Amino acid sequence: MLVYIIRRLLQTIPVLLGVTILVFSMMHLIPGDPAQIIAGESASETQVEQMRERLGLNEPLVVQYGKFLGGVIQGDLGNSIRSGNPVSAEIGARIMVTIELAVYSTILSIFLGLIAGIVSATKRYTFWDTSIMIVALFGLSMPNFWLGLMLIQYFALPPLQWFPVSGWGTPGHIVLPVITLGTAGAAIIARMTRSSMLEVINQDYIRTARAKGVKEKYVIYKHALRNALIPVVTVVGLQFGVLLGGTVLTETVFAINGMGRLVIDAINARDFPIVQGSVLVIALLFVLVNLIVDLSYRFLNKRIELD
Amino acid sequence: MENNQNIIEVNELQTSFFVGGKEVKAVDGVTFSVPSGKTLGLVGESGSGKSITSLSIMRLIAEPGKVKGGEIKFNGENLLDKSEGKMRRIRGNQISMIFQEPMTSLNPVFTVGDQIAEAVMIHQGLSKKEALKKALEMLELVGIPSPKARLKNYPHELSGGMRQRVMIAIALACRPELLIADEPTTALDVTIQAQILRLMRNLQDELGMSVILITHDLGVVAETCDYVAVMYSGKIVEYADVNSLFANPKHPYTVGLLKSLPRHDIDQEGELSTIKGMVPTPDDMPKGCRFAPRCPFARDMCRESLPHLEEEENGNQVRCWIHTDKWDGPEVNVKHDYESAASQQS
Ligand SMILES: Nc1ncnc2c1ncn2[C@@H]1O[C@H](COP(=O)(O)OP(=O)(O)OP(=O)(O)O)[C@@H](O)[C@H]1O
Ligand SMILES: [Mg+2]
């Protein structure tokens, strides 16, 4: 097991190396002179030259990449062009917010999705099943920003005012953004759980469990669910990855200073070091999430041999 | 000691599936009984309702199926009247079942040991540790080599024959009074089949239980069973002790099955070599005797009305007009005349 984890971690190195190359190229792939773009339309020739010097753009590409990589390995992602602060500090201030958002939303998705999916599957073709699946379809098709705005409209503005309209910090701040982000995931997990459960419930080993005299409750929650979860885990992992990189709209709607807003602001300001650093960090997280998903697979499905 | 009490008596059992607004009568008035400590063979072509009969006894018929009527008397009590909770305490405890598909009948995510132990924990209230000890005993009993190591194996680490032994271990862990084995060896290769059947027979002697053995294979019946019930299209057409059945089969279908015996293991799906035609589908169920369209002796009366299951002096039963006073055709000896009659069949 440990060997497997270490090997998987080593395997991520080429992936991350590839990401650094991509990220590094961003600055050089954009049309025109990055120094000119960053310095702005109206900058004078000397200002642009200074900018070029500051960004190290006069050196050969390989040397530039080498320096960038060397920095990354030491945890130095450079400095923000706009604020001059280290990129790692800027990201550090924001990343926890995004991770919290993603974790809470994923927990909500799993909780709601599993319950809805199991109820749907065990009460197939009844009123409950149909209602749950219709709600799930709504949940899936609602755009996040719209759902966010609706939640603000009804629960944050008068007359109810149950939750703050925007910001971050108190438990109350968490509720609406997490519902906004978790709904689509819950819908996906509910549908996945339902179809997976329905498939598992018809398996011969479920009949065996019943023939042994196992209580229906345990037939469902022990014998069936454990098998039905295997495909659901993949969906949860993907969902979490998407949340890490894709909470921009929701962060904007609720004015939360997370990674999404950091990246958007940085792109608008052509603050390339921030963009590079953020993409790299998100990629790293994504890779780790994938590893965790694979490990839970191993735990759930004994037929998969990792080595 | 002579014991002619029946462990189970099935009376006019009816189980139907309701699909697309139509009723499919999978089991249509099945009646048979199993004397205590004896083995009943339930035989018949694919689709005749053998599995549905056994699942009805276990009360494990799932939607869209339903047990519509009849009674299943187990130790004198009707299982169909029992609450789900009471029934659950019987399943895996007093009545156990082994299924046709050893490859898929074990849960892939639990160890073999846990799966055997579960039954013991449920019915005997043993702790996990004691139950695992019992599971180990069971693995030894069913002849699995190095049982201690096997206890921790997952099903995918075992061969088909080993998995079926595990299934038997699960089924017998609580020493049931009745074991229903639904084609326990069809999915296994021939040498393993023989081993498993021998194992079941030995365990039956050891534990003194009664067995319903479902099979396509009359060869197996001859070797293992005391009584035989022949099913055709949801009904019992003949019930007899094994010697009478093989020496003096009464129903033309039974004779047809016996004649096709040598080919049993090659051709299960298609047409049996000496019975022309196919099993009727629910859509064109014959009005009279279900077997009439394929029967070489069939006359108008057979096609018109369904014969009853008639009991003879020796307790054997047959559902065929030929053996009644109403028979309006020439004298027939079903066994002797079958071949020549069949050859004249178009
Ligand atoms: N889920 C179902 N839905 C509809 N009809 C069903 C269902 N299960 C069984 N049947 C009907 O019941 C009939 C009897 O099925 P059963 O499984 O008892 O046959 P069998 O004698 O065990 O055959 P085999 O030898 O192939 O196992 C089938 O022909 C089919 O028409
Ligand atoms: Mg069957």
Side-chain angles (χ1 to χ4, degrees), chain A residues 203-208 210-216 222-224 226-227 230 300-303 305, chain B residues 55 58 60 88 91-92 99 101 104-110 115 118-119 122-123 154 156 167 170:
Chain A
Q203 296 294 314
D204 291 345
Y205 54 79
I206 295 300
R207 191 182 54 190
T208 305
R210 293 200 174 111
K212 268 198 280 190
V214 176
K215 281 189 186 157
E216 191 59 21
K222 183 175 165 195
H223 287 267
R226 184 76 184 268
N227 284 282
I230 294 167
L300 285 170
N301 191 350
K302 307 300 178 189
R303 279 166 299 189
E305 290 298 330
Chain B
L55 288 172
M58 294 293 280
L60 285 176
R88 215 182 46 237
R91 283 185 208 124
F99 300 97
E101 284 298 334
T104 53
S105 289
L106 291 167
N107 196 323
V109 304
F110 297 111
Q115 295 189 55
E118 188 178 24
I122 292 170
H123 296 298
Y154 288 91
H156 72 272
M167 281 301 293
I170 292 175

Side-chain angles (χ1 to χ4, degrees), chain A residues 86-233:
Chain A
V87 170
S88 47
E90 294 257 352
I91 293 176
R94 308 292 195 91
I95 188 99
M96 277 324 290
V97 176
T98 295
I99 290 182
E100 266 182 71
L101 263 181
V103 168
Y104 293 146
S105 311
T106 304
I107 291 174
L108 181 77
S109 304
I110 295 174
F111 185 72
L112 285 183
L114 280 187
I115 292 180
I118 293 168
V119 170
S120 243
T122 48
K123 309 225 182 294
R124 178 148 75 134
Y125 300 144
T126 62
F127 169 77
W128 285 108
D129 178 27
T130 320
S131 323
I132 288 173
M133 282 305 117
I134 289 174
V135 172
L137 196 62
F138 268 110
L140 256 186
S141 19
M142 248 181 317
N144 276 352
F145 74 90
W146 184 79
L147 176 59
L149 290 175
M150 286 299 122
L151 289 173
I152 291 177
Q153 172 78 40
Y154 289 106
F155 297 106
L157 294 179
L160 290 182
Q161 284 184 297
W162 286 348
F163 303 103
V165 175
S166 63
W168 192 251
T170 73
H173 281 113
I174 298 175
V175 178
L176 297 185
V178 162
I179 294 176
T180 308
L181 286 172
T183 299
I188 294 173
I189 292 171
R191 286 158 60 114
M192 191 74 210
T193 305
R194 178 181 186 268
S195 65
S196 181
M197 276 298 265
L198 286 178
E199 199 182 309
V200 168
I201 275 176
N202 283 322
Q203 296 294 314
D204 291 345
Y205 54 79
I206 295 300
R207 191 182 54 190
T208 305
R210 293 200 174 111
K212 268 198 280 190
V214 176
K215 281 189 186 157
E216 191 59 21
K217 192 168 67 182
Y218 295 113
V219 171
I220 300 292
Y221 290 96
K222 183 175 165 195
H223 287 267
L225 190 58
R226 184 76 184 268
N227 284 282
L229 279 183
I230 294 167
V232 175
V233 168

Side-chain angles (χ1 to χ4, degrees), chain B residues 17 19 24 26 44-53 64 100 182-183 216 282:
Chain B
F17 287 86
V19 268
V24 177
E45 274 165 286
S46 200
S48 53
K50 307 182 295 292
S51 296
I52 301 301
T53 301
Q100 191 165 352
D182 189 354
E183 309 195 36
H216 283 106

Side-chain angles (χ1 to χ4, degrees), chain A residues 3-43:
Chain A
V3 178
Y4 172 75
I5 296 177
I6 291 169
R7 217 184 50 215
R8 275 296 304 268
L9 285 173
L10 289 179
Q11 277 170 1
T12 62
I13 290 175
V15 175
L16 291 175
L17 218 56
V19 173
T20 59
I21 292 176
L22 273 179
V23 158
F24 174 77
S25 327
M26 269 198 311
M27 197 137 150
H28 300 273
L29 285 177
I30 51 164
D33 181 355
Q36 176 74 61
I37 293 170
I38 291 166
E41 296 277 319
S42 56

Side-chain angles (χ1 to χ4, degrees), chain B residues 126-309:
Chain B
L126 297 188
S127 71
K128 177 89 184 233
K129 208 167 143 214
E130 294 168 316
L132 280 173
K133 230 164 76 196
K134 178 86 192 187
L136 180 63
E137 274 170 37
M138 290 312 296
L139 284 184
E140 275 163 11
L141 186 68
V142 298
I144 287 189
S146 49
K148 207 160 192 140
R150 290 300 183 194
L151 217 50
K152 294 194 188 70
N153 277 171
Y154 288 91
H156 72 272
E157 296 167 291
L158 304 178
S159 68
M162 285 298 154
R163 289 190 213 186
Q164 198 61 300
R165 284 173 195 262
V166 171
M167 281 301 293
I168 294 174
I170 292 175
L172 301 188
C174 296
R175 317 253 147 171
E177 295 162 54
L178 175 66
L179 173 71
I180 305 175
D182 189 354
E183 309 195 36
T185 58
T186 354
L188 305 173
D189 54 43
V190 185
T191 46
I192 312 289
Q193 279 186 16
Q195 289 174 12
I196 295 284
L197 287 170
R198 202 174 316 125
L199 171 71
M200 284 180 44
R201 223 161 30 221
N202 294 342
L203 291 175
Q204 178 181 15
D205 291 343
E206 214 166 298
L207 307 177
M209 63 186 174
S210 319
V211 175
I212 297 177
L213 178 66
I214 296 174
T215 175
H216 283 106
D217 191 334
L218 282 167
V220 169
V221 171
E223 279 173 55
T224 31
C225 298
D226 304 301
Y227 296 88
V228 191
V230 181
M231 261 190 104
Y232 187 79
S233 193
K235 290 186 183 298
I236 302 288
V237 293
E238 183 161 3
Y239 177 92
D241 64 271
V242 70
N243 293 330
S244 314
L245 189 99
F246 281 90
N248 189 15
K250 292 281 174 73
H251 198 284
Y253 178 61
T254 313
V255 177
L257 279 182
L258 286 170
K259 298 267 182 210
S260 63
L261 190 53
R263 295 195 50 201
H264 63 82
D265 51 351
I266 327 165
D267 186 5
Q268 298 178 335
E269 302 290 321
E271 209 168 310
L272 290 170
S273 54
T274 52
I275 308 179
K276 301 228 164 54
M278 297 295 284
V279 186
T281 61
D283 287 328
D284 65 341
M285 199 46 76
K287 183 164 102 203
C289 171
R290 301 287 159 86
F291 187 58
R294 299 170 77 187
C295 180
F297 305 109
R299 300 174 63 80
D300 283 343
M301 67 181 304
C302 305
R303 287 179 275 268
E304 291 302 314
S305 59
L306 181 72
H308 294 289
L309 195 59

Side-chain angles (χ1 to χ4, degrees), chain B residues 46-109:
Chain B
S46 200
S48 53
K50 307 182 295 292
S51 296
I52 301 301
T53 301
S54 51
L55 288 172
S56 302
I57 295 173
M58 294 293 280
R59 289 249 318 259
L60 285 176
I61 297 291
E63 292 279 311
K66 197 169 182 295
V67 178
K68 269 182 28 184
E71 57 176 13
I72 301 167
K73 283 209 161 148
F74 177 69
N75 282 333
E77 290 178 42
N78 189 357
L79 294 182
L80 297 180
D81 290 341
K82 296 219 178 277
S83 69
E84 176 55 30
K86 284 227 175 73
M87 196 57 217
R88 215 182 46 237
R89 263 163 268 153
I90 293 176
R91 283 185 208 124
N93 190 19
Q94 287 166 282
I95 309 180
S96 282
M97 190 160 171
I98 306 172
F99 300 97
Q100 191 165 352
E101 284 298 334
M103 301 311 276
T104 53
S105 289
L106 291 167
N107 196 323
V109 304

